[in-house]
Amino acid sequence: MDANRFDELIKQVGTTRVTRLTALRSLFGGVAAAATGAVFARDAADAKKKGKHSKKKKHKTNQNPQNTAPIYPGPSGPSGPSGPSGDTGHTGDTGNTGSTGATGPTCTDDGYQASSYGDCCSNTYCDDRKASNYGYCGPCEPHCLEDGNDYGYDASQCCHGSCGETNRCGACPPPCIEDGYGYHDDYSQCCHGYCRTTGKCGDCPPEGPRCQKELEREACVTDAPNRGVRLSTECSDTYGAVAYKVPDGATFGDIDTIRTDYEFETGTCAAGTPRFCVVLSNKPECPCSQFPPSSGCSAGGSGNTGDLTSNDVAWFNLCDPAAPTITTYQEALALYEDEPVDYVFVVVDTSNGPQTVVLRNTCVGV
């Protein structure tokens, strides 16, 4: 770039206040290239019987006997006169009613609950408390323990087998999933609880920085396979940018990480592009960091930027030509740690010619 062109760009930048994503346009492409020329000379990385006896005594009536003719009778003499009739005898008294018989003994049949053998008809009693809370009449019958019961030292008591691992009747439970592994929509498989946030077994991690959501896309930005986002300069707008929101009140120092995986389809990283920039609420400048050349930048290459908020990673200022000069994140942090932030964006522009790159797993952690 010749000196006259550089001066012209500087004048344009100095008289234009960047709002929202206008800072992404190619207006600053040349400036990014110029501002980063010296910085990127090196690489950064779980139920009666009642007996009634009624008896009456009866007395027969006494009558005078009649004369009886002899078997071989002689001639009959004259009949004597008849004697007077005797008195009729008295009727006897009614006998006493017999007493009611005693009720027979009551007992419990075999198979029914009883409190002792004396209650049982068979005088046989089973005091087997394993099968019931009470004993029952009759001999003890074989029984078994249902699944889930502790069999103590005798697994033969189990109805359906036993599990030595749990010392209980029934089959052993399936193996559980250890902490840190995904539970695949069935958290009951986890050995020690689960975390819905992560979708993994084990406790949730302590609260900390979280990757922020996309806020806006501008110009040449399309979806790519495997949750990727494609940014390109190969369209009429000649740039592509994605902005990420930050929590209200977040400052530059609250940004814990800035990183992404990338895969180049056209071009490579150089001259300040692709880059992440932080838009400050109260200052005109935008501290930025280009994808480090040593992270895998090459034509058709892929890599990971690493955490761009590491102290020695190269940073530079854009958006305001009068901004202080910085060369590392440490220097940017020293200047802007307590400065409120509007948003963070990533952009590709024509500073380094045609450029198309797919980003995945991008994280602006706050």
Side-chain angles (χ1 to χ4, degrees), residues 130 144-159 161-170 172:
K130 291 179 182 177
C144 61
L145 295 177
E146 293 296 337
D147 293 357
N149 287 302
D150 191 323
Y151 58 75
Y153 297 98
D154 184 6
S156 66
Q157 301 175 91
C158 296
C159 302
S162 62
C163 177
E165 294 176 12
T166 62
N167 210 48
R168 293 180 179 276
C169 295
C172 288

Side-chain angles (χ1 to χ4, degrees), residues 171-208:
C172 288
C176 61
I177 300 173
E178 292 294 341
D179 293 358
Y181 292 90
Y183 53 78
H184 309 299
D185 299 324
D186 183 5
Y187 55 80
S188 64
Q189 301 175 88
C190 296
C191 301
H192 311 115
Y194 63 97
C195 177
R196 290 187 184 276
T197 303
T198 63
K200 294 181 179 181
C201 294
D203 295 334
C204 289
E207 287 293 330

Side-chain angles (χ1 to χ4, degrees), residues 53-78:
H53 300 288
S54 196
K55 204 171 184 182
K56 283 187 179 181
K57 287 185 178 181
K58 291 186 179 182
H59 298 279
K60 292 183 180 180
T61 302
N62 291 326
Q63 296 180 352
N64 290 327
Q66 299 288 327
N67 291 329
T68 303
I71 297 174
Y72 300 104
S76 300

